[in-house]
Amino acid sequence: MEFNDTFIKACRKQPVSHVPVWYMRQAGRYQPEYRKIREKYSLFEITHHPEVCAEVTRLPVEQLGVDAAILFADIMTPLVPIGVDVEIKSGIGPVIANPVRSLNDVSKLGELDPNDGVPFVMETVQLLKKELKVPLIGFAGAPFTLASYMIEGGPSKNYHLTKSFMYAEPEAWQALMEKLTKMTIAYLQAQVNAGAAAVQIFDSWVGALNAKDYNEYIMPVMKKIVDGLKSECNVPIIYFGVGAGHLLEEWNQLDVDVLGLDWRTTVGSARNRGIEKALQGNLDPSLLLAPWNMVERKAKEILEEGSKQPGFIFNLGHGVFPQVKADTLKRLTDFVHEYSARCLK
Ligand code: CP3
């Protein structure tokens, strides 16, 4: 089988014969095989066993026929070696025993040397680079999203502690952002060196900020990360957030290649707002629990808008839920390939 580079071509806005597709959380609890592995290993234990972790990463590629693999890890992974005491609780998410609430807490955080702190991630990437016939997407959480867990101590609805820390403790916030910036560049750079063909930066919760505050507090941080990466390597960078449609014009100023949309912002409306970068998204993941004719109708709408110009990658607007049937995702993948091939003819 030849290497399928359709996904990279779409990231670079080059012509393709079908719209490439992959899914956020394509490895996860909706798969019986994953649940079986999870009976034996916790999420972090999977990531500490490169062979198992590579298998979990490959599973959805083999089962669904998607055009990209995403490294199996968590956005919390690189925080452990810098001193964050985090546990991933099933059904809840990351829970942190030592939340960051002061400059002193920030100063206790160490630096990440990826080969020393997370060697198992690099080994997994190296294994996958040999085995896969599609590009591997490396990833990291963005500083605001990581900070939200570190400060709140777990998932949050409105990020009151995070935002009040940002407004009230400028010196500590700045110090935290600087540490996370350095960590993120080193972590993503190491994944690329090990064989990742693209990277996605998950800023899942940054939509909690308005555009003015994003510009003031986060834009310089993201610019540093993106420019830092671009100066070192030439892989496509995808930037994604949930409920962040009001930030598209800001994101568009960053030197990223692809903007990831959630289901609230249509591809057509992003294009109408002058966004010329490649786009990725954005089927509402809830639709995967609806009858097939509804899934198909909504996927068609997205593909028709997405295939109007080069630079579109089909995905969900957020991650796959555990309740989704693997068959539905397989059918959707085949549909995206077949229907988009007709649109692009
Ligand atoms: O297949 C893939 O997408 C790759 C693996 C991946 C995981 N987490 C594995 C995981 C990726 C890319 C992530 C990123 C991640 N982790 C994000 C950014 C993406 C997003 O969802 O917005 C965030 C915010 C986290 C933090 C986190 N970790 C959450 C919110 C959860 C879900 C909690 C739950 O149980 O519903 C986790 C746990 C987690 N990370 C699971 C998986 C497969 C759940 C399954 C398990 O416990 O085995």
Side-chain angles (χ1 to χ4, degrees):
M1 203 165 78
E2 261 186 51
F3 192 82
N4 166 7
D5 66 349
T6 317
F7 164 76
I8 298 292
K9 284 192 175 132
C11 290
R12 300 206 183 284
K13 298 179 38 168
Q14 292 164 0
V16 287
S17 55
H18 70 261
V19 167
V21 47
W22 69 278
Y23 305 106
M24 290 184 276
R25 288 279 158 84
Q26 64 188 17
R29 280 167 300 176
Y30 76 94
Q31 297 170 298
E33 298 85 353
Y34 177 81
R35 292 198 297 270
K36 189 115 202 280
I37 293 171
R38 280 282 278 110
E39 283 172 16
K40 231 176 117 189
Y41 302 99
S42 70
L43 193 149
F44 280 153
E45 282 166 355
I46 295 175
T47 60
H48 282 75
H49 291 82
E51 300 276 351
V52 181
C53 194
E55 185 193 335
V56 169
T57 305
R58 266 193 339 257
L59 245 163
V61 180
E62 288 157 6
Q63 284 184 341
L64 307 175
V66 285
D67 299 275
I70 180 153
L71 171 71
F72 189 83
D74 196 80
I75 58 168
M76 296 292 128
T77 297
L79 294 178
V80 177
I82 73 164
V84 177
D85 183 356
V86 55
E87 193 187 335
I88 308 280
K89 293 217 165 131
S90 215
I92 301 174
V95 176
I96 282 151
N98 56 343
V100 170
R101 300 279 163 81
S102 67
L103 182 58
N104 189 37
D105 293 338
V106 177
S107 65
K108 283 187 205 146
L109 299 168
E111 262 192 42
L112 178 75
D113 170 352
N115 291 318
D116 185 49
V118 286
F120 45 89
V121 173
M122 305 318 141
E123 279 172 49
T124 304
V125 173
Q126 282 159 0
L127 279 179
L128 287 163
K129 165 89 180 155
K130 280 187 238 150
E131 297 164 348
L132 287 168
K133 295 290 183 197
V134 294
L136 175 69
I137 306 169
F139 76 91
F144 180 88
T145 295
L146 294 175
S148 80
Y149 287 105
M150 295 167 82
I151 295 166
E152 307 281 342
S156 169
K157 268 214 175 86
N158 37 40
Y159 309 96
H160 287 327
L161 290 177
T162 311
K163 292 200 271 180
S164 57
F165 191 76
M166 182 179 92
Y167 294 127
E169 307 274 353
E171 197 190 341
W173 177 263
Q174 190 58 33
L176 179 58
M177 289 299 108
E178 275 170 23
K179 284 206 167 166
L180 294 176
T181 297
K182 250 183 120 178
M183 181 195 83
T184 305
I185 296 173
Y187 185 49
L188 288 174
Q189 184 65 57
Q191 292 179 47
V192 172
N193 292 346
V199 295
Q200 175 150 326
I201 304 176
F202 285 95
D203 214 346
S204 302
W205 315 133
V206 80
L209 296 180
N210 63 37
K212 194 162 184 290
D213 286 345
Y214 183 89
N215 271 317
E216 182 175 345
Y217 293 94
I218 300 300
M219 186 70 121
V221 174
M222 291 312 301
K223 193 169 169 346
K224 218 168 176 177
I225 292 177
V226 170
D227 293 350
L229 278 173
K230 284 275 166 180
S231 70
E232 294 290 330
C233 57
N234 189 28
V235 303
I237 304 176
I238 309 165
Y239 187 38
F240 167 79
V242 183
H246 59 292
L247 301 177
L248 274 188
E249 284 77 8
E250 278 63 37
W251 288 9
N252 201 37
Q253 292 165 38
L254 291 165
D255 191 14
V256 297
D257 302 274
V258 185
L259 299 182
L261 305 175
D262 84 352
W263 63 92
R264 296 171 181 90
T265 308
T266 62
V267 174
S269 68
R271 292 289 181 225
N272 288 338
R273 282 159 66 183
I275 308 296
E276 291 294 321
K277 289 187 193 291
L279 293 172
Q280 174 177 281
N282 66 346
L283 190 81
D284 188 328
S286 316
L287 272 163
L288 299 175
L289 302 176
W292 172 256
N293 60 357
M294 187 58 87
V295 179
E296 189 178 296
R297 191 177 113 196
K298 299 288 181 183
K300 259 186 195 168
E301 288 171 11
I302 293 171
L303 287 168
E304 277 160 19
E305 287 184 6
S307 48
K308 278 192 184 138
Q309 65 187 73
F312 182 64
I313 299 145
F314 191 93
N315 204 313
L316 304 175
H318 202 185
V320 183
F321 300 153
Q323 296 83 351
V324 170
K325 290 201 171 54
D327 281 350
T328 309
L329 279 181
K330 169 75 182 130
R331 195 167 176 187
L332 178 59
T333 310
D334 291 343
F335 179 75
V336 169
H337 285 158
E338 284 156 25
Y339 190 76
S340 67
R342 276 188 269 151
C343 290
L344 291 168
K345 245 186 204 150

